[in-house]
Amino acid sequence: MIKIEPKPYKIEGKIQNYDWGTKNDKAFIPKYLNIDTIENIPYAELWIGVHPNAPSQINVDENKLSLASLIEKFPTEILGERVYHKFKTLPFLLKILSIEKALSIQAHPDKNLAKILHEKDPKNYPDENHKPEIAIAIDHLKALVGLKDPKGIKQTFLDYPELKILLTTELINIIEGKNIDEDFVKEIYSQIMNSEYEKLSKGITEILKRLKNKSELNESEQQFLKQHNNYGIDVGLISILLFNIINLAEGEAIFTVAGIPHAYIEGNIIECMANSDNVVRAGLTPKYKDIDTLTKMLVVNSENSDVEVIEESDRKIYKTNAEEFEIEEIILSNTFIEKNNEEINIILVLSGNILIEFGNKNTISYSQGDFILIPAVLKQYKISKNESAKIYRVRVPK
């Protein structure tokens, strides 16, 4: 008879081979997992969680079970009383992403909109949940995040007058005649995203001519050319000029809430989000696009998108306003000791080797690529390193 004991359990994730993932020698995920790389197959995401689109598995008493079914059988033993009563299941989805070319221009719905979209179109919106998410750079991350402020949008039309072909005369006159506000920025973006293909093609072609004649290109312009090579004439290219472009170094993070448009461009990252796969896409993708929904739900500026990094002697905590997850990097200069665990922890070994000690001096070794479930019934455990190691822990914030 299967039972949950107070000990760590190893989790097996699922790889997603989306087109934008890294391939061949650049493929990060196979190297991370120490598995063979299949030639010309993109390795985009590795999922750890209970979402039905790619559920994780776990070995218990030599039986391989889905993590979701195990939590159903032993909810409080695994999740803990508080997490179970609040969420009923694992509330977060943990991922590794490895990005070769731009992901879709996208935003995520809030809970109310997610329910509406799922009821109306369960194929493209597979659950009823929202999807706030944090991205932490493993090595680096280049991304588009949010529309520029009104002043930046106005300057973009001065720098690329070819964009005016995508707007009505009335909107052009307003841009040229006075200061614009955030509501007007939404109107501009909505009209551009709904442009007729002929006008879009002409505008992009003219911008390409301009850029190819420039001696020096800024970062947005370089990405415009690169993503045009990847996607051809695509309305998502215009977002590269209208969005803020950011660069994260190793260990730096961004947090995106509902309605904030964004697109990751390149890099390897740890990503954690509420347990959802709801994505409203509007460009740079062969997948289903829902431009009307994205432009209606669009948030130009959000005060809830900050990541607060709290550094302690033995950990670095990434704080956001998400109620489903909190990530911390555990610093293994000495032994890390957890004395009062009451809820599920998931530990990710990013590099190196560690030992987890529990119970009456029981010890299990883990290495790079391992994901470890610490169930709520394991109240105390210690982590030490065999050699240089970097690990992250995900929990539900109190």
Side-chain angles (χ1 to χ4, degrees), residues 25 70 110 127 135 154 160 238 246 249 255 295 305 326 335 397:
D25 292 342
L70 197 66
D110 61 22
D127 56 75
K154 201 172 176 71
Y160 312 102
I238 309 301
I246 66 163
F255 178 61
T295 53
S305 293
E326 181 176 280
T335 299

Side-chain angles (χ1 to χ4, degrees), residues 187-227:
E187 192 173 347
I188 291 169
Y189 190 68
S190 178
Q191 194 164 116
I192 286 173
M193 295 303 286
N194 287 286
S195 300
E196 297 174 0
Y197 182 80
E198 286 186 11
K199 289 184 177 181
L200 179 68
S201 179
K202 183 175 181 181
I204 288 174
T205 300
E206 292 300 315
I207 292 171
L208 289 171
K209 289 179 184 176
R210 172 187 288 273
L211 299 186
K212 287 174 181 177
N213 288 325
K214 286 186 70 173
S215 56
E216 290 187 22
L217 301 176
N218 64 35
E219 197 169 21
S220 296
E221 292 167 341
Q222 292 171 21
Q223 287 300 321
F224 189 96
L225 293 179
K226 180 179 178 179
Q227 303 308 330

Side-chain angles (χ1 to χ4, degrees), residues 19 43 74 87 125 310 312 323 334 336 383:
D19 182 59
Y43 292 83
F74 306 100
F87 296 106
Y125 300 104
I310 301 171
E312 299 178 357
E323 63 178 1
N334 295 301
F336 175 85
I383 306 176

Side-chain angles (χ1 to χ4, degrees), residues 34-54:
N34 194 28
I35 61 174
D36 292 335
T37 303
I38 301 173
E39 188 176 359
N40 296 325
I41 294 296
Y43 292 83
E45 297 186 355
L46 174 64
W47 289 28
I48 302 293
V50 298
H51 197 282
N53 282 6

Side-chain angles (χ1 to χ4, degrees), residues 362-387:
N362 296 305
T363 302
I364 301 178
S365 175
Y366 298 97
S367 58
Q368 175 183 303
D370 285 342
F371 292 82
I372 306 123
L373 167 69
I374 305 291
V377 291
L378 179 53
K379 303 303 181 186
Q380 298 182 12
Y381 61 91
K382 297 179 184 179
I383 306 176
S384 56
K385 58 183 178 180
N386 276 344
E387 55 184 54

Side-chain angles (χ1 to χ4, degrees), residues 24-261:
N24 303 324
D25 292 342
K26 292 182 179 180
F28 174 82
I29 289 173
K31 291 175 186 175
Y32 172 65
L33 295 175
N34 194 28
I35 61 174
D36 292 335
T37 303
I38 301 173
E39 188 176 359
N40 296 325
I41 294 296
Y43 292 83
E45 297 186 355
L46 174 64
W47 289 28
I48 302 293
V50 298
H51 197 282
N53 282 6
S56 296
Q57 293 186 313
I58 189 165
N59 281 313
V60 181
D61 300 334
E62 299 183 357
N63 294 285
K64 186 174 284 191
L65 304 170
S66 77
L67 181 55
S69 65
L70 197 66
I71 289 172
E72 285 180 8
K73 287 185 175 71
F74 306 100
T76 57
E77 292 92 335
I78 295 175
L79 298 175
E81 293 282 353
R82 183 185 70 92
V83 174
Y84 170 66
H85 288 300
K86 187 171 184 178
F87 296 106
K88 303 304 179 188
T89 188
L90 183 67
F92 59 81
L93 177 59
L94 178 62
K95 298 181 181 180
I96 299 287
L97 269 64
S98 185
I99 305 151
E100 172 68 19
K101 62 180 184 179
L103 278 70
S104 55
I105 303 298
Q106 61 184 261
H108 306 304
D110 61 22
K111 286 186 177 180
N112 290 333
L113 181 57
K115 288 180 181 179
I116 294 169
L117 293 174
H118 177 66
E119 185 176 342
K120 210 164 63 171
D121 186 359
K123 178 183 176 183
N124 291 300
Y125 300 104
D127 56 75
E128 296 185 345
N129 206 6
H130 67 165
K131 195 170 177 270
E133 62 185 29
I134 189 171
I136 302 172
I138 293 173
D139 43 27
H140 74 289
L141 173 64
K142 189 185 296 293
L144 303 169
V145 182
L147 281 154
K148 294 176 180 176
D149 62 22
K151 184 178 178 181
I153 295 291
K154 201 172 176 71
Q155 185 61 49
T156 300
F157 278 87
L158 292 175
D159 294 339
Y160 312 102
E162 299 87 352
L163 290 174
K164 292 177 183 177
I165 194 175
L166 305 179
L167 299 179
T168 62
T169 302
E170 180 184 5
L171 285 185
I172 293 168
N173 289 339
I174 294 174
I175 292 174
E176 294 176 345
K178 65 175 184 179
N179 292 329
I180 57 177
D181 59 20
E182 290 183 359
D183 287 338
F184 191 68
V185 168
K186 287 181 68 171
E187 192 173 347
I188 291 169
Y189 190 68
S190 178
Q191 194 164 116
I192 286 173
M193 295 303 286
N194 287 286
S195 300
E196 297 174 0
Y197 182 80
E198 286 186 11
K199 289 184 177 181
L200 179 68
S201 179
K202 183 175 181 181
I204 288 174
T205 300
E206 292 300 315
I207 292 171
L208 289 171
K209 289 179 184 176
R210 172 187 288 273
L211 299 186
K212 287 174 181 177
N213 288 325
K214 286 186 70 173
S215 56
E216 290 187 22
L217 301 176
N218 64 35
E219 197 169 21
S220 296
E221 292 167 341
Q222 292 171 21
Q223 287 300 321
F224 189 96
L225 293 179
K226 180 179 178 179
Q227 303 308 330
H228 174 260
N229 287 337
N230 288 331
Y231 293 102
I233 300 296
D234 190 295
V235 69
L237 293 175
I238 309 301
S239 295
I240 296 173
L241 304 177
L242 296 175
F243 283 21
N244 302 297
I245 191 164
I246 66 163
N247 289 281
L248 300 185
E250 178 185 345
E252 294 182 330
I254 55 171
F255 178 61
T256 48
V257 296
I260 294 290

